């Protein structure tokens, strides 16, 4: 393919239409930097599963072209002249509800705060902007893999055809009875920030159990995520540190550099950060958190597996169910990527599949007046 001359906008095959014979993911780039657009365009063009259908240097231009180019995924910069990406995001989702938005952010506190706000508002995932010298190798592979998963929803579209239409509250089938929970664990990845906000928004103020959360995020984003969750949930939210004791109604987040696990220390249960490799290769990972909770709480726990790529959480969910705990999976139609919940559901570990907004009422009903002890 002919590459663009220096300073010129890249050209790409099929920019005006998607060949019906190619099962590709249609991508739009929205970034005011010509350099960034060129770098991203070349990575997309090199992947036969992706088709670059449009580029825009402003959010206003992108919104005007959205209906004609029909992208599956928008790569969105948040800091642009005029209408910023954060302001434009709700309009993108209103015009095209099935759209998946991948936010690209700078490695700054302001960039992290804006990115977390975008994820809470409905963006599916975020990636840090590459620095010079990092455009190939692992960055390229992660970048294109995330776009492919978002565009195909990791078989969530298949789920539309093969899964029953759920799934409001209450669930259509009674969940398997399990031990009464004394703690709640939430595991999530791509699309998880928005889902976690919906779960916490459905909890009553008097809900008294500790909540442990492992969300795959860049390490620099975790303190910002903690502040955002505290504002939304009106619950004390902290980043996990070794030796902390989970407290009633408190939220503890996995830090970006270690797994959030718990262990018995005498008569008490305390946080124990762990950096050992996990089966999923993620750090932090959901599996170690759930496995440790199954042991420390003797299965008296409820776990929610939310939207995310891959299978992280399925092994820990198995440990929890065998110990007598209960696992709920996010139903496919509400997932940005139906990967982690799918693995749990297909393994027969999910007591029910619910939308995030319905999980709070389920937890309230399941726990009743349960208190931390």
């Amino acid at each position: 393919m002919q590459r663009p001359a220096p300073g010129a906008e890249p050209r790409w095959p099929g920019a005006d239409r998607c060949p019906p014979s190619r099962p590709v993911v249609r991508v739009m780039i929205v970034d005011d930097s010509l350099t960034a657009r060129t770098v991203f365009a070349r990575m997309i063009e090199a992947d036969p599963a992706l088709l670059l259908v449009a580029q825009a240097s402003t959010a206003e231009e992108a919104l005007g072209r959205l209906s004609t180019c029909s992208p599956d995924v928008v790569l969105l910069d948040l800091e642009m002249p005029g209408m910023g990406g954060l302001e434009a995001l709700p309009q993108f989702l209103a015009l095209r509800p099935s759209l998946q938005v991948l936010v690209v952010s700078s490695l700054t506190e302001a960039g992290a705060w804006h990115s977390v706000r975008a994820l809470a508002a409905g963006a599916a995932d975020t990636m840090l902007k590459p620095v010079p010298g990092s455009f190939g190798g692992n960055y390229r592979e992660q970048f294109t893999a995330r776009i492919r998963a978002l565009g195909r929803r990791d078989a969530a579209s298949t789920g539309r055809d093969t899964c029953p239409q759920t799934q409001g509250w209450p669930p259509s089938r009674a969940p398997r009875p399990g031990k009464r929970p004394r703690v709640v664990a939430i595991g999530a990845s791509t699309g998880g920030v928005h889902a976690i906000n919906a779960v916490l928004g459905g909890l009553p103020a008097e809900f008294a159990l500790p909540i442990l959360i492992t969300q795959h995020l860049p390490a620099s984003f975790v303190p910002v995520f903690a502040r955002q969750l505290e504002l939304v949930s009106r619950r004390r939210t902290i980043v996990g540190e070794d030796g902390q004791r989970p407290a009633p109604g408190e939220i503890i987040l996995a830090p970006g550099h270690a797994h959030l696990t718990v262990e018995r220390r005498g008569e008490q249960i305390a946080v124990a950060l762990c950096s050992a490799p996990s089966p999923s290769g993620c750090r932090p990972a959901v599996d170690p958190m759930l496995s440790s909770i199954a042991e420390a709480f003797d299965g008296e726990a409820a776990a929610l597996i939310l939207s995310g790529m891959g299978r992280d959480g399925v092994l820990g969910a198995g440990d929890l169910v065998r110990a007598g705990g209960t696992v709920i999976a996010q139903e496919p139609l509400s997932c940005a990527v139906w990967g982690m919940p799918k693995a749990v559901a297909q393994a027969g570990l999910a007591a029910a599949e619910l939308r995030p907004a319905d999980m709070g009422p389920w937890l309230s009903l399941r726990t009743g007046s349960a208190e931390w002890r």
Side-chain angles (χ1 to χ4, degrees):
M1 178 181 6
Q2 184 177 1
R3 294 299 181 190
E9 287 280 2
R11 298 298 301 166
W12 58 93
D16 299 320
R17 63 183 180 85
C18 177
S21 60
R22 286 186 70 191
V24 295
V25 175
R26 299 168 62 87
V27 185
M28 171 191 275
I29 300 172
V30 185
D31 198 306
D32 64 308
S33 166
L34 174 60
T35 300
R37 294 198 304 273
T38 302
V39 169
F40 290 137
R42 289 179 177 174
M43 288 192 282
I44 291 167
E45 289 167 355
D47 191 320
L50 306 178
L51 181 68
L52 184 58
V53 296
Q55 297 188 55
S57 59
T58 67
E60 292 88 344
E61 178 188 358
L63 287 166
R65 300 181 63 184
L66 195 64
S67 61
T68 57
C69 65
S70 302
D72 302 306
V73 178
V74 165
L75 185 65
L76 181 64
D77 183 22
L78 295 182
E79 299 177 14
M80 295 182 290
M83 182 188 297
L86 192 59
E87 181 184 354
L89 176 62
Q91 299 184 47
F92 277 109
L93 298 178
L95 289 171
R96 192 170 175 81
S98 64
L99 186 67
Q100 302 282 22
V101 177
L102 175 61
V103 166
V104 288
S105 171
S106 60
L107 185 57
T108 64
E109 183 174 358
W113 178 248
H114 292 153
S115 294
V116 170
R117 286 182 62 193
L119 292 169
D125 203 357
T126 184
M127 285 194 74
L128 297 175
K129 278 195 171 182
V131 296
S134 68
F135 300 125
N138 290 337
Y139 186 92
R140 183 193 302 270
E141 293 174 8
Q142 293 176 21
F143 175 77
T144 55
R146 290 193 190 190
I147 295 176
R148 290 195 303 271
L150 288 172
R152 294 169 177 168
R153 300 177 70 89
D154 206 7
S157 58
T158 303
R160 294 177 186 271
D161 299 326
T162 61
C163 293
Q165 290 295 316
T166 51
Q167 230 142 321
W169 174 258
S172 57
R173 58 186 173 87
R176 271 194 312 272
K179 296 179 180 179
R180 191 175 189 177
R182 293 193 292 131
V183 65
V184 175
I186 301 176
S189 185
T190 305
V193 171
H194 184 61
I196 289 169
N197 276 264
V199 172
L200 297 178
L203 289 175
E206 62 271 17
F207 187 82
L209 301 191
I211 302 171
L212 276 59
I213 299 178
T214 293
Q215 163 70 51
H216 299 166
L217 275 178
S220 62
F221 285 24
V222 176
V224 176
F225 184 39
R227 296 203 302 271
Q228 187 267 335
L229 279 188
E230 189 164 74
L231 290 173
V232 169
S233 68
R234 298 184 179 180
R235 298 171 184 271
R236 183 169 185 258
T237 304
I238 58 176
V239 179
E241 295 182 1
D242 197 79
Q244 289 169 335
R245 187 185 177 195
E250 182 179 78
I251 299 171
I252 302 180
L253 298 181
H257 65 280
H259 312 305
L260 177 66
T261 69
V262 293
E263 64 182 17
R264 284 204 169 270
R265 297 181 180 178
E267 296 299 316
Q268 296 186 347
I269 293 176
V271 168
L273 298 183
C274 172
S275 298
S278 68
S280 67
C282 301
R283 189 194 302 172
V286 180
D287 281 317
M289 177 179 69
L290 297 187
S291 295
S292 71
I293 285 173
E295 181 177 355
F297 286 89
D298 191 28
E300 294 180 318
L304 310 178
I305 306 298
L306 305 180
S307 176
M309 293 172 59
R311 297 175 55 83
D312 185 24
V314 68
L315 299 179
D319 290 339
L320 183 57
V321 169
R322 284 187 290 273
T326 304
V327 176
I328 302 297
Q330 185 173 345
E331 59 88 27
L333 298 185
S334 62
C335 289
V337 179
W338 189 47
M340 289 164 53
K342 175 185 176 183
V344 169
Q346 291 190 339
L349 299 171
E353 296 179 64
L354 300 175
R355 297 173 302 186
D358 295 327
M359 291 180 178
W362 181 89
L363 286 169
S364 299
L365 182 64
R366 183 71 185 90
T367 59
S369 59
E371 296 182 354
W372 171 250
R373 67 179 188 272

